[in-house]
Amino acid sequence: MKNTSFRCLWIGQAFANLGDIFYVVGLISLLYNLTGSAFYLSLLPFITTIFRFISSLLAPLVIDRFPLKRIIVQSQWWKTILLVCLGIFIISFDHGFSVAVIFFIALISLLDGVAAPVSAALVPQLVPKEERMKANGFLNVITQTIFVAGWPLGSVLLISTNSSFIIWLTVMLYAVSTIYTGRIKVPTDPVAPSNWDSIKSGWVAIRQIPTIRTLISIDFITTLASSVWVAAVIYIYVEQNLQLGEEWWGYINTSYFVGMIFSGLIVIRFAKLLEKYIGFFITFGLFLSSLLILLFGTTSIPALALLLACLYGLPEQIREVIYTKLFQDHATEKTLAKIHAVWGAVINLTFAGSVLLLGFITETYSVKTTFQFSSTLIFLAFLYATFKRNDLIGKQCDQLLSSKSSNLPR
């Protein structure tokens, strides 16, 4: 974890993540000032999710054609160039500029959909196997800390400056991220011509590796449930359950992320223990998440709601770090990047659908019913994980993997 390349990776990611937050803050303000339309604001998450889904499906074509480091550096570089163009447009926009903003959002989302799985696949090349759990926990702590600090900082900057300034600040952050990412040293990846086999290779790998297949199945179910934490549902929860002002939506989100940061620190401190009892921590974490979300959805006590939101972040983050570690242990770097691309595509599409589903349940029934439904889904994931415990532990997987390793797509 102390090598220079890993340091450059997390510093580059930190600047990129902070830039992503400022980018969203600036775009929301820009779109609203240009259009005054809630519809255009809703297009921001919709366009982002859809185009990330598309690029995740096509990412294996790029992964097979170019080395991983080149992909992540070039994607960050092109994001910087696109934002420079956007900044120039802002200076001299016309009445139809809102369409251009949507165009830039789509292009940047396409780049993000490719860069995300590649970034996750670089960690095994930079960190020894015995230190990967700590490394993943450390990266998650950095990411969640930036989320906690970045949104209020972005709001302060928006109040004191304007959207144009924030866009240009994001350009600087992206440029710094590109410089640090370019300093990462990894072995040269073998490249191959891209074709239809590249697109389906990630899906084939998932089918052939029981541990990863089980993890993605669990994550599919929990993603359906996780949309209860989106602003639309929490806003109604604060109004109906807590009967407090909208500022409590921010308090709850902050508590949630604080819990995730604390969880990352636990992973770093007790990495060996988590590795020893991976199956237990996944299944128990799912049971705990189901219980916490049920209690959160029924309470009307503000302080208890904050505590439960914080506690909910603990098993979520621990489970995410364990998932990442298991993915890294059961696939080569190229295959890992493709698997992450498939995972991203599935999660993006599932999340988009679950937002609509849980929004419908909240409007048709009540916000309490929504949380009860979410809790039930996570409990079903717990039952499934218990049934597939051998796959999570890896007892059967390792033998199967070794016997099929020659057939796995690279």
Side-chain angles (χ1 to χ4, degrees):
M1 283 181 60
K2 295 181 180 180
N3 67 73
T4 302
S5 291
F6 180 72
R7 188 182 305 114
C8 289
L9 175 65
W10 73 257
I11 293 176
Q13 284 190 347
F15 277 101
N17 289 336
L18 187 59
D20 287 341
I21 293 174
F22 288 171
Y23 156 76
V24 172
V25 170
L27 282 184
I28 289 175
S29 173
L30 180 63
L31 280 174
Y32 190 74
N33 289 334
L34 287 172
T35 66
S37 168
F39 171 74
Y40 273 97
L41 292 184
S42 66
L43 279 179
L44 178 58
F46 176 78
I47 293 294
T48 298
T49 301
I50 292 301
F51 276 84
R52 283 186 177 179
F53 167 72
I54 293 172
S55 64
S56 294
L57 289 179
L58 300 178
L61 293 174
V62 181
I63 292 169
D64 265 350
R65 185 177 290 273
F66 303 105
L68 298 183
K69 176 188 170 180
R70 182 178 176 185
I71 294 172
I72 192 171
V73 172
Q74 289 293 324
S75 65
Q76 196 62 43
W77 174 242
W78 279 107
K79 282 174 65 176
T80 307
I81 293 176
L82 287 172
L83 273 188
V84 169
C85 295
L86 180 59
I88 294 173
F89 270 113
I90 292 174
I91 296 174
S92 56
F93 68 87
D94 54 28
H95 185 69
F97 178 68
S98 57
V99 177
V101 174
I102 298 298
F103 175 73
F104 279 110
I105 292 172
L107 290 180
I108 291 176
S109 298
L110 284 174
L111 292 171
D112 281 337
V114 175
V118 172
S119 177
L122 280 177
V123 174
Q125 297 190 42
L126 306 178
V127 180
K129 184 174 181 179
E130 63 273 10
E131 294 186 7
R132 288 176 189 171
M133 185 77 80
K134 287 185 179 181
N136 294 328
F138 178 77
L139 289 174
N140 280 22
V141 168
I142 295 296
T143 300
Q144 301 306 334
T145 302
I146 289 174
F147 269 104
V148 171
W151 288 106
L153 180 58
S155 300
V156 171
L157 286 173
L158 186 61
I159 293 172
S160 57
T161 60
N162 53 51
S163 57
S164 178
F165 175 85
I166 292 178
I167 293 297
W168 285 108
L169 177 60
T170 303
V171 169
M172 294 177 60
L173 293 171
Y174 280 175
V176 174
S177 174
T178 304
I179 292 172
Y180 271 97
T181 305
R183 295 177 60 190
I184 297 174
K185 295 181 180 179
V186 295
T188 302
D189 301 310
V191 297
S194 57
N195 48 38
W196 172 244
D197 288 338
S198 295
I199 294 179
K200 69 178 184 179
S201 57
W203 300 90
V204 173
I206 291 172
R207 180 173 58 83
Q208 291 183 341
I209 306 175
T211 296
I212 294 179
R213 185 174 66 243
T214 300
L215 292 176
I216 290 181
S217 299
I218 294 172
D219 209 36
F220 169 75
I221 301 173
T222 55
T223 299
L224 283 174
S226 66
S227 295
V228 292
W229 297 102
V230 300
V233 176
I234 295 297
Y235 187 89
I236 296 175
Y237 168 84
V238 168
E239 182 183 78
Q240 293 184 359
N241 276 33
L242 304 184
Q243 298 181 352
L244 294 170
E246 59 184 15
E247 67 274 8
W248 274 81
W249 168 78
Y251 299 157
I252 289 173
N253 273 295
T254 300
S255 295
Y256 174 81
F257 284 117
V258 167
M260 297 194 80
I261 292 173
F262 184 61
S263 175
L265 296 175
I266 291 177
V267 170
I268 295 173
R269 177 65 179 83
F270 300 102
K272 296 298 181 182
L273 180 64
L274 291 175
E275 286 189 62
K276 188 176 180 180
Y277 300 104
I278 279 179
F280 168 79
F281 280 105
I282 290 179
T283 53
F284 178 73
L286 288 167
F287 177 80
L288 185 59
S289 294
S290 175
L291 178 61
L292 289 171
I293 208 167
L294 179 64
L295 294 174
F296 180 86
T298 55
T299 187
S300 58
I301 304 172
L304 182 58
L306 291 178
L307 176 61
L308 291 171
C310 180
L311 292 176
Y312 184 82
L314 296 177
E316 286 287 295
Q317 183 77 330
I318 290 176
R319 195 162 63 247
E320 181 179 339
V321 172
I322 290 176
Y323 284 8
T324 304
K325 171 66 165 55
L326 289 175
F327 275 40
Q328 293 167 351
D329 286 350
H330 291 91
T332 62
E333 286 77 10
K334 281 284 188 178
T335 304
L336 180 61
K338 297 174 188 178
I339 289 172
H340 273 284
V342 172
W343 192 17
V346 171
I347 296 308
N348 278 320
L349 190 61
T350 303
F351 183 79
S354 66
V355 168
L356 298 177
L357 174 61
L358 296 186
F360 171 78
I361 294 175
T362 301
E363 184 173 346
T364 306
Y365 301 98
S366 68
V367 71
K368 288 185 179 180
T369 303
T370 303
F371 278 95
Q372 290 168 354
F373 176 75
S374 177
S375 175
T376 302
L377 285 176
I378 297 177
F379 186 75
L380 291 175
F382 158 72
L383 295 178
Y384 178 77
T386 303
F387 179 72
K388 292 285 188 176
R389 188 178 179 86
N390 284 338
D391 287 348
L392 297 178
I393 296 173
K395 288 181 177 179
Q396 297 174 353
C397 170
D398 291 336
Q399 294 179 353
L400 183 62
L401 182 62
S402 62
S403 64
K404 293 186 175 182
S405 58
S406 59
N407 297 323
L408 283 178
R410 297 290 175 177

